Amino acid sequence: MAEDSPKFIIPESFQVSSDDIGAQIGLIWELIKAPLIVPLLKLGVYICLTMSLMLFMERLYMGIVIILVKLFWKKPEKRYKWEPLQDDLESGNSNFPVVLVQIPMFNEREVYKLSIGAASNLSWPADRLVIQVLDDSTDPEIKQMVELECQRWASKGVDITYQIRENRGGYKAGALKEGLKRSYVKHCEYVAIFDADFQPEPDYLRRAIPFLVHNSDIALVQARWRFVNADECLLTRMQEMSLDYHFTVEQEVGSSTHAFFGFNGTAGVWRIAAINGAGGWKDRTTVEDMDLAVRCSLKGWKFLYLGDLQVKSELPSTFKAFRFQQHRWSCGPANLFRKMLMEIVKNKKVKFWKKVYVIYSFFFVRKIIAHMVTFWFYCVVLPLTILVPEVEVPIWGAVYIPSIITILNSVGTPRSIHLLFYWILFENVMSLHRTKATFIGLLEAGRANEWVVTEKLGNKLQKNADASKNKTNVKMFKRPRLKFIDRLNTLELGFAAFLFLCGCYDFVHGKNNYFVYLFLQTITFFITGIGYVGTIIPSS
């Protein structure tokens, strides 16, 4: 006699014809929704609300501190000893320390003249300034042009050296490290670093170096970036809003309260002894600048940010270039956090509260939570709660907290306040890529060490600006048009379809009117999905 196999009993109300596929899917959904989907979605809501509160408290803390800094804190010149370096008739230029200027490059056809020219025009005694052009270019024509430009300035009496390597090992970190090994660098006390599109004003060193000369505990003086192409298109305006908050608030708060912030990789002056004492440049992540800053901080060095010392630079003006940059900027910090967490915890030279600031505020909230909560909450969990009405998101978590965070984020760029709503939608789209990059960094997956140099258009942008200003008949530069199929970003288009379906469902069955947000977010995902975000010109 055959044994009876166990049978799964389906209630009669759920029984449907085997030919009705839609009904079968509906049946499966009803069977798993209550025991599985609802609890998981509720857990997701709780986690997202917790992350939102963490980000809210962080933004509120920085908002309060920045107000106190602006109202009551002393200026850097008052907090630290600062006196201008003076020429001495008897001792000549010996009062001025020897400064090395490093300009790392990689196939910078459009901007190499700008950075080399700006560095060569720095107002610093010629015999106390050494300029080092670190060219990792792979294009022979560009290498020749850069070398000729260096020779042109050398013929004018500028101490400038054209330096190349046999390979690109370590990328930018490798080039900077190799540059410091040269024999002619041994007598240099400080090193100023400028990426190929950065153009310091002539008085840059005279304003920054005295802080290092008169304060032996300062390792780094960081200047603010000023963007020459911020008004080029909507993409650059969105970037300006994000970066202005970083400089106006995050950098200022870190410098004023803990004398620590992440080095931005350029437009800063380092004490070479601090670099060497911390172990030099390392290429273990794609954020070699942040890596060095954290290691120097753990050695007890202080950092100073000067918000009124600004250096001209260029923002990525194509969506493809911006995506690559954001991958590096999101993946690198997460990977560095993974590698340095225990080193920070075990360090005995740094005070407890500074450790808390670096681990919790600097890394965990800003570099991990900030990316993940934006994507998971507003692009995944919130739309899913529309399909599962048994799960609700409190109004304070869905509307009030995000609104306050957004307002706090907008203080850096008041001139773009009218673009604030679109900036929110755009940041939600970019949080998709930042979250993906963050996971890659934390797990040290395949693209964790991917380095793609950001495309720059410097000379062409300047010609466009000059032609527009003078209203001449100069032919305006146009970016090469990509084929439509090459513009498509399938990930964004996929989320556009998902949010559109959720919006339609909410329009028909919902009660919270989330469809207004979902349809607007769908449009933003769609625009980025077809690759046209960088072509829209914003109104002033």
Side-chain angles (χ1 to χ4, degrees):
M1 183 176 177
E3 294 183 3
D4 292 335
S5 58
K7 296 181 179 180
F8 182 72
I9 306 300
I10 300 177
E12 292 184 5
S13 59
F14 286 152
Q15 292 180 6
V16 296
S17 169
S18 59
D19 296 329
D20 192 345
I21 297 177
Q24 290 183 8
I25 295 174
L27 169 63
I28 295 172
W29 171 256
E30 290 298 328
L31 286 173
I32 66 173
K33 184 169 71 171
L36 182 63
I37 302 298
V38 172
L40 285 177
L41 194 53
K42 283 184 177 180
L43 178 62
V45 170
Y46 295 147
I47 293 173
C48 288
L49 288 175
T50 301
M51 291 193 294
S52 290
L53 286 173
M54 292 169 66
L55 185 60
F56 169 71
M57 295 304 295
E58 172 70 9
R59 293 291 189 262
L60 187 62
Y61 157 74
M62 289 196 293
I64 294 171
V65 172
I66 199 64
I67 291 173
L68 294 176
V69 168
K70 297 298 183 183
L71 294 179
F72 304 110
W73 255 250
K74 295 179 180 179
K75 296 289 185 182
E77 292 81 0
K78 302 293 184 181
R79 295 204 313 269
Y80 297 93
K81 185 178 180 182
W82 188 92
E83 295 177 3
L85 300 178
Q86 302 290 347
D87 297 307
D88 193 310
L89 296 177
E90 295 183 1
S91 59
N93 295 324
S94 61
N95 284 346
F96 290 82
V98 181
V99 178
L100 172 68
V101 176
Q102 289 185 315
I103 309 175
M105 292 190 173
F106 178 74
N107 293 337
E108 309 287 3
R109 180 187 296 271
E110 304 301 336
V111 295
Y112 73 94
K113 285 187 177 181
L114 299 177
S115 55
I116 293 175
S120 300
N121 283 315
L122 286 169
S123 176
W124 199 256
D127 61 334
R128 314 297 284 178
L129 184 67
V130 179
I131 300 175
Q132 194 180 62
V133 177
L134 306 168
D135 191 9
D136 278 354
S137 298
T138 54
D139 187 325
E141 181 184 355
I142 296 177
K143 292 172 73 173
Q144 184 180 18
M145 291 190 299
V146 175
E147 185 174 12
L148 288 174
E149 182 69 8
C150 292
Q151 292 175 357
R152 186 173 74 86
W153 282 104
S155 66
K156 297 181 179 182
V158 177
D159 186 354
I160 184 169
T161 303
Y162 178 71
Q163 202 75 55
I164 59 174
R165 299 188 294 162
E166 294 182 358
N167 58 68
R168 287 190 70 210
Y171 301 106
K172 180 180 175 181
L176 295 171
K177 184 176 183 178
E178 186 69 21
L180 290 178
K181 292 180 179 178
R182 301 298 169 177
S183 58
Y184 58 84
V185 173
K186 292 180 179 178
H187 63 291
C188 297
E189 297 180 56
Y190 310 106
V191 55
I193 302 170
F194 301 105
D195 282 353
D197 59 313
F198 278 72
Q199 305 164 57
E201 297 296 331
D203 65 346
Y204 175 88
L205 293 179
R206 288 184 178 268
R207 296 176 62 185
I209 293 294
F211 286 104
L212 294 162
V213 170
H214 299 305
N215 301 273
S216 59
D217 57 346
I218 293 181
L220 166 68
V221 175
Q222 172 73 60
R224 177 173 176 165
W225 301 357
R226 181 160 59 89
F227 311 110
V228 297
N229 64 329
D231 293 325
E232 184 186 357
C233 61
L234 191 58
L235 175 62
T236 54
R237 286 290 285 272
M238 298 299 101
Q239 295 175 69
E240 181 193 35
M241 293 176 72
S242 299
L243 288 171
D244 276 353
Y245 177 81
H246 169 69
F247 286 109
T248 304
V249 180
E250 292 180 346
Q251 297 280 86
E252 191 74 70
V253 169
S255 176
S256 301
T257 58
H258 298 281
F260 169 79
F261 48 84
F263 174 46
N264 296 318
T266 178
V269 187
W270 278 95
R271 189 185 300 273
I272 294 179
I275 296 177
N276 295 333
W281 293 100
K282 293 185 179 181
D283 59 358
R284 55 182 174 172
T285 70
T286 56
V287 284
E288 74 293 325
D289 43 13
M290 187 181 296
D291 188 346
L292 177 62
V294 175
R295 285 185 283 114
C296 280
S297 178
L298 295 181
K299 293 289 183 180
W301 291 99
K302 294 181 179 180
F303 303 159
L304 175 63
Y305 169 71
L306 298 178
D308 59 350
L309 180 59
Q310 301 184 359
V311 178
K312 291 186 289 186
S313 63
E314 180 184 330
L315 292 164
S317 52
T318 65
F319 188 52
K320 181 179 179 181
F322 180 58
R323 283 178 64 180
F324 278 124
Q325 183 198 67
Q326 292 302 297
H327 173 85
R328 189 172 75 246
W329 285 6
S330 302
C331 177
N335 192 226
L336 182 63
F337 181 59
R338 166 196 172 109
K339 292 178 176 178
M340 291 204 70
L341 175 59
M342 294 313 298
E343 185 178 344
I344 298 171
V345 171
K346 294 177 181 178
N347 185 274
K348 297 180 180 180
K349 291 187 177 180
V350 177
K351 294 179 180 179
F352 172 77
W353 288 113
K354 188 168 184 177
K355 289 183 184 180
V356 172
Y357 174 78
V358 174
I359 293 173
Y360 176 79
S361 180
F362 180 77
F363 273 116
F364 190 59
V365 177
R366 297 186 210 168
K367 310 303 181 186
I368 297 177
I369 294 298
H371 303 326
M372 291 190 177
V373 68
T374 303
F375 171 67
W376 287 112
F377 199 6
Y378 306 114
C379 300
V380 178
V381 172
L382 188 63
L384 284 177
T385 60
I386 293 170
L387 304 178
V388 186
E390 293 88 345
V391 181
E392 293 187 3
V393 178
I395 191 69
W396 61 264
V399 178
Y400 300 149
I401 293 294
S403 299
I404 297 173
I405 292 175
T406 300
I407 293 171
L408 292 173
N409 283 344
S410 68
V411 299
T413 318
R415 79 184 187 97
S416 297
I417 195 71
H418 61 291
L419 299 173
L420 187 59
F421 191 73
Y422 185 76
W423 177 76
I424 299 169
L425 299 173
F426 179 72
E427 284 292 292
N428 288 350
V429 173
M430 292 311 303
S431 70
L432 164 64
H433 299 286
R434 291 172 184 146
T435 299
K436 178 183 174 183
T438 300
F439 275 117
I440 290 173
L442 287 173
L443 301 175
E444 206 161 17
R447 293 178 62 199
N449 294 311
E450 181 184 61
W451 183 286
V452 179
V453 176
T454 306
E455 178 189 19
K456 306 174 188 74
L457 305 172
N459 280 332
K460 294 177 180 178
L461 291 173
Q462 188 61 46
K463 289 176 183 177
N464 281 2
D466 293 343
S468 176
K469 192 177 296 184
N470 299 326
K471 299 191 180 300
T472 63
N473 293 323
V474 177
K475 187 176 181 180
M476 300 291 280
F477 163 72
K478 294 183 179 180
R479 297 187 193 88
R481 287 186 175 272
L482 296 175
K483 294 180 179 179
F484 180 76
I485 192 68
D486 294 329
R487 286 181 173 271
L488 294 181
N489 301 303
T490 54
L491 204 56
E492 285 91 336
L493 291 174
F495 265 92
F498 165 68
L499 294 174
F500 179 71
L501 291 175
C502 292
C504 291
Y505 187 89
D506 186 63
F507 180 76
V508 176
H509 303 288
K511 56 184 178 180
N512 293 318
N513 294 325
Y514 287 154
F515 67 87
V516 176
Y517 155 73
L518 290 172
F519 286 152
L520 291 172
Q521 191 66 73
T522 296
I523 294 171
T524 310
F525 266 102
F526 180 75
I527 291 173
T528 54
I530 61 176
Y532 278 91
V533 67
T535 64
I536 303 172
I537 308 299
S539 57
S540 299

